[in-house]
Amino acid sequence: MRPMEPLLLTGTALPLEAIEAVARRGAPVRLADEAAAAVRSSRDLVEQHLGRDRPIYGINTGIGALADTTIPAGDLEQLQRNIVRSHSAGVGTLLPAEVVRAVILLRARTMATGRTGVRVEVIERLLELLNRGITPAVPSRGSVGASGDLAQLAHIGQCVIGEGAVLHGDGVRPAAEVLREEGLEPLELATKEGLALINGTEGMVALGALALVDLGRLLRAADVAAAMTVEAALGTDRPFAEDLMELRPHPGQAASAANLRAILRDSPVIASHRDSTHAVQDPYSMRCAPQVHGAARETHAFASMVLGRELGAVTDNPVVLPDGRVESAGNFHGEPLAYALDLLAIGATGLASISERRTFWLLGPGTSRDLPPFLSTQPGLGSGYMLAQYTQAALVSEAKGLSHPAGLDSIPTSGSQEDHVSMGWTSGLKLREVIGHLRSVIAIEVLCAAQALDLRRPIAPAAGTAAALAAVRERVPFLDQDRDLSVDIEAVTGLVAGGELVQRVEDAVGPLA
């Protein structure tokens, strides 16, 4: 396998595919020469302020509610170590390695803008962690999404200074041991650098960026699942006609309908009952799939816009400006991200909800269109896919609870100096869970629709749905008698999560929107 080309960190916004490559596939990263020059210039400006009497937040003062406390010159480096140590107050299960790696990459990107006042050595150490596969152990709870994701970034900062722990197999190891084995000395932080390590929205952005990638794939997979169900249910593709979509010109709706038309094009199953009187209308979960799927696509588009801006932003506090000013502002507040991530969770839950309804129809009411109860070949003796829909119902119910907006909440912190916070980190954590549930719900619909399509034989499905069916059957056989469905669900979930299901359909019908 050819080695991956290193990602060049220039300080400009990173594309989602680059973030995923580093976070999930271990792509190497290096700092661009021009970015290093900007960082050195910024550091020079910070050092020009040292020794002056004027208090500058976080450089020669305490932080948060202690901002009015002046720190003696001899204690400035100790201040930076204390900032990292004191803010490492996270609790709960550890974050997955891919999330931590995304956070490290994004924080290094922010530092590469030359607006945070750190030395090049700090950025290089963060990149060393990525390139050597050293992943700090970061607890998942503790951020209120206001002065950035302080606790999570602080646990990463601990690893930089040789403290804390790193992920190792199924457990953790002391960071000091791992750095020693790698020949890396703990980094001594200079003025401003401890604060720069912890003060940014990169945690929320990392969760959001990976969610955008995953949901983008699931939006297309949901269209594939819907097409399979419509065909297997002896439904009609007429409601997806382009001229009907033009009457209500939402871009997301149009894109989903175009996908359904492409996947179902020239379907022998649909043609077999084109003039049948078996049903005047399909249920909403089929007929209105473009409208509901399209609404989820619109949330994805909005969140992509918000996160796209944030991926090129500077959210440190204070920031170092080219004219030498070191200014404290509020760009670290996570509310824009919280609202976008909350909306994404709502859209994803809507996708899961309508997918579960289509599956329910195939398993029960589908008897009105000649499908056996629960798609079982031995109804009564066998339960078929009855319990698979129970699983969907449980996941959708949980997703609904998780979709309550966290960004509506605020609990003051730091003695009310930080008297309004975003809770955007919680928005991101909940979104990650919702997307995981959606992935499984869509997989179950695909699994059930594949069974129903096989039951329609000898009439062949459309080219698009036939490709999806073939992909499923390579992993899961036809259900001729009851068996452990969890194994089948896991297999199809992998097919959906990795994008292979959609890719196989695209190979047959062309690119999907």
Side-chain angles (χ1 to χ4, degrees), residues 239-240 253 256 260 282-294 354 358:
F240 313 141
Q253 175 179 321
S256 180
L260 289 165
D282 289 332
Y284 284 7
S285 59
M286 299 179 208
R287 184 165 27 121
C288 302
Q291 287 75 14
V292 177
H293 292 197
I354 196 170
R358 288 191 296 263

Side-chain angles (χ1 to χ4, degrees), residues 241-253:
E242 188 171 7
D243 55 355
L244 293 177
M245 295 302 102
E246 290 172 350
L247 297 176
R248 195 187 193 195
H250 292 295
Q253 175 179 321

Side-chain angles (χ1 to χ4, degrees), residues 66-156:
L66 301 173
D68 294 334
T69 303
T70 301
I71 308 300
D75 292 335
L76 295 185
E77 292 184 0
Q78 182 65 43
L79 169 66
Q80 300 307 309
R81 289 191 295 274
N82 287 348
I83 287 172
V84 171
R85 289 167 177 164
S86 65
H87 285 66
S88 298
V91 299
T93 56
L94 298 179
L95 292 174
E98 66 174 41
V99 174
V100 179
R101 288 179 59 83
V103 175
I104 294 171
L105 172 65
L106 293 170
R107 193 60 193 157
R109 195 285 312 171
T110 298
M111 291 179 172
T113 62
R115 294 290 178 267
T116 67
V118 302
R119 293 168 298 154
V120 169
E121 289 87 341
V122 177
I123 303 173
E124 294 286 7
R125 176 53 56 89
L126 291 175
L127 300 188
E128 286 277 13
L129 297 181
L130 292 174
N131 294 336
R132 297 186 188 221
I134 303 171
T135 305
V138 180
S140 58
R141 266 65 182 180
S143 172
V144 295
S147 294
D149 298 303
L150 297 173
Q152 283 66 40
L153 286 163
H155 282 280
I156 292 170

Side-chain angles (χ1 to χ4, degrees), residues 14 190 258 297 504:
L14 295 173
R297 284 172 173 267
R504 293 286 291 273

